[in-house]
Amino acid sequence: MKIGMFIKNFAIGKEFSKNGIPTKSGAEFHCENHALQLIEHGDSVYIMTKKKYFFTKGREILNGIDLCRLHAPFRWLESIIRLITTHRNTDCFYIIGTPHFAVWAILYARMFNKPTTLVITIKEEVFEKQLNWRNKILASCTNYIAISQEIKDELIRKTEVKSSQVHILPQGVDSNRFIVVNEQVKRELRKKYKLPEDKPIVLFCARLVLRKGVDTMLKAWEIIHKNNQEAILIIVGGGENHLFDQIKAVSQKLGNSIILFGEVQKPDEYYQLSDLYFFPSRMEGLPTTMMEAMASGVPCVASDIGGCRDLIAPSEAGVLVEAEDYNTFAKEILNFIDNDSLRKESAAKGRQYVESNLDCYKLLPKLRNILQNKL
């Protein structure tokens, strides 16, 4: 099967923006992971995206993916030319988000009776059908994928598509990569990263922006440190430079109990050495980092918002707290730190839920059926 994927930004050519935020978004990870899984399955995949910088190539093979960067101001025209020349005979179209140039692929697909699938990865991407002509075309796809129940409900309400066209399908996680390790390995990993072997370690692994609840995290940590000065908070992820400075200042005030690791390529071992995952985000689609934590056997204390709710409520892999309620966050984290049996029980339930419901390779057949309009 030949699959054309369309996304606004992909491998733009710079790792960080001027203010320190990583340029690779959750949608891009979603696109890349699905592309690689489909290729591994035996499908042919190409990606069309915006060309943002002059120094990036118009077309290249990146990790086995045929990547085409479309030139402004005629991306729509270039995409059509490619579809009838270099990328003809596409069997189905997979659109991530709502890139403007993708509407022409939808029209092309409709002309040749090819199925189109549009995936929404965050509620704020859901569009009003009647707002403009582009949105009317986006609302004419064959199928839609929502990665959470909240997104599905919003999509049906705003676009007027039929419920039967909208499929809830998590992006999933590789449960063979993110694994539970024993105590000996956990201690060795802590030695490797120069962390204390015998102290409780709480992990925050996400982009450092206010939307992720960094301010809530710091307020909660002040309370946690006051009650348990042994606890360590490790922060993994890139983000806004001024927030790094703020975190360093708070850490100094709290006995250097917060350790910043910055952006890392593979967070696997940081999950494995941690006792608890702290995720006070204000807004999510379906947080990949939380799925990775669950797969690694790390219980979660997270905001009671769409996406987080889809993971914690059915799995019992942790607890949900009202977003911004730093007092309750601190209370629940201290409870997990002090309750070894609760941590182990939540960890086991989270891992089991991932294996049964969130393994990306088990979800792949459903994705392929949706793309081919076989459901």
Side-chain angles (χ1 to χ4, degrees):
M1 179 168 62
K2 186 173 183 177
I3 303 161
M5 301 182 74
F6 292 75
I7 184 171
K8 182 179 179 181
N9 292 310
F10 191 94
I12 67 170
K14 291 186 179 181
E15 189 175 355
F16 297 96
S17 64
K18 290 181 180 179
N19 60 0
I21 298 176
T23 58
K24 194 169 185 177
S25 66
E28 185 175 338
F29 278 109
H30 184 121
C31 179
E32 180 180 41
N33 290 339
H34 274 175
L36 292 174
Q37 290 161 25
L38 289 163
I39 290 170
E40 186 178 344
H41 184 273
D43 296 310
S44 172
V45 177
Y46 65 83
I47 294 174
M48 289 195 187
T49 188
K50 288 167 58 176
K51 191 177 193 301
K52 200 163 185 177
Y53 299 110
F54 74 93
F55 58 82
T56 55
K57 295 179 180 179
R59 186 180 182 186
E60 64 178 318
I61 303 298
L62 194 66
N63 296 326
I65 304 168
D66 179 7
L67 177 62
C68 296
R69 297 185 179 94
L70 306 174
H71 299 70
F74 299 110
R75 295 188 181 102
W76 66 274
L77 180 59
E78 184 179 353
S79 67
I80 292 297
I81 291 172
R82 286 197 174 277
L83 288 175
I84 60 178
T85 57
T86 58
H87 293 77
R88 61 185 179 275
N89 300 324
T90 301
D91 295 305
C92 58
F93 295 82
Y94 185 18
I95 301 157
I96 293 86
T98 57
H100 286 178
F101 56 84
V103 300
W104 302 97
I106 295 170
L107 293 173
Y108 175 91
R110 190 189 301 172
M111 186 183 303
F112 293 96
N113 198 29
K114 303 291 185 180
T116 53
T117 300
L118 188 149
V119 60
I120 298 292
T121 60
I122 192 166
K123 188 174 78 169
E124 284 62 33
E125 278 184 337
V126 179
F127 52 92
E128 293 275 3
K129 176 183 178 180
Q130 302 302 333
L131 190 62
N132 56 51
W133 65 271
R134 282 194 182 91
N135 287 1
K136 289 179 181 178
I137 296 171
L138 292 170
S140 68
C141 289
T142 315
N143 289 296
Y144 298 84
I145 292 174
I147 62 174
S148 73
Q149 183 65 51
E150 180 182 52
I151 292 173
K152 177 176 180 175
D153 294 342
E154 191 77 355
L155 191 60
I156 292 169
R157 184 179 72 83
K158 285 189 172 182
T159 64
E160 303 169 21
V161 299
K162 296 177 182 177
S163 177
S164 59
Q165 290 177 268
V166 186
H167 310 273
I168 296 180
L169 184 69
Q171 64 271 39
V173 64
D174 186 351
S175 62
N176 291 317
R177 172 186 165 186
F178 294 94
I179 58 172
V180 182
V181 298
N182 59 38
E183 287 299 317
Q184 181 180 347
V185 173
K186 191 173 184 177
R187 286 194 296 271
E188 289 171 356
L189 288 173
R190 291 187 175 196
K191 283 183 182 178
K192 175 181 176 180
Y193 293 102
K194 297 180 174 58
L195 293 167
E197 295 178 47
D198 56 349
K199 292 183 179 181
I201 293 181
V202 179
L203 170 66
F204 174 92
C205 181
R207 186 172 293 191
L208 284 178
V209 292
L210 281 177
R211 182 171 71 83
K212 297 293 185 180
V214 174
D215 52 340
T216 303
M217 173 183 68
L218 293 177
K219 289 176 183 177
W221 194 253
E222 289 190 28
I223 299 170
I224 293 164
H225 180 75
K226 183 178 179 180
N227 288 272
N228 188 329
Q229 296 186 7
E230 295 290 301
I232 300 292
L233 172 64
I234 65 172
I235 297 177
V236 176
E240 297 182 29
N241 295 324
H242 74 93
L243 289 178
F244 274 91
D245 295 336
Q246 183 181 342
I247 292 166
K248 289 174 184 176
V250 172
S251 182
Q252 283 188 329
K253 188 174 72 171
L254 302 179
N256 296 313
S257 60
I258 306 175
I259 300 172
L260 283 158
F261 284 95
E263 185 73 3
V264 301
Q265 292 300 314
K266 292 188 68 178
D268 314 35
E269 293 182 339
Y270 294 94
Y271 295 114
Q272 293 166 1
L273 62 80
S274 300
D275 297 304
L276 193 63
Y277 186 67
F278 183 14
F279 196 61
S281 183
R282 291 180 168 90
M283 178 175 58
E284 290 296 322
L286 191 72
T288 299
T289 56
M290 191 178 298
M291 288 188 279
E292 291 170 350
M294 290 166 60
S296 304
V298 184
C300 306
V301 179
S303 297
D304 189 6
I305 57 174
C308 295
R309 198 178 300 125
D310 289 60
L311 296 174
I312 299 300
S315 69
E316 299 180 3
V319 295
L320 295 167
V321 175
E322 185 178 349
E324 303 183 4
D325 185 355
Y326 57 88
N327 285 299
T328 305
F329 270 118
K331 176 185 174 183
E332 294 293 352
I333 288 170
L334 287 165
N335 183 42
F336 268 96
I337 288 174
D338 294 336
N339 194 328
D340 187 55
S341 62
L342 176 62
R343 289 200 312 275
K344 288 180 178 178
E345 181 182 358
S346 298
K349 287 181 176 179
R351 174 66 192 185
Q352 182 180 23
Y353 187 81
V354 168
E355 289 178 348
S356 301
N357 300 280
L358 298 173
D359 182 89
C360 59
Y361 291 100
K362 292 180 180 177
L363 295 170
L364 186 61
K366 183 175 179 181
L367 172 65
R368 294 186 78 254
N369 284 336
I370 294 170
L371 295 177
Q372 297 174 88
N373 196 29
K374 288 185 175 180
L375 286 183

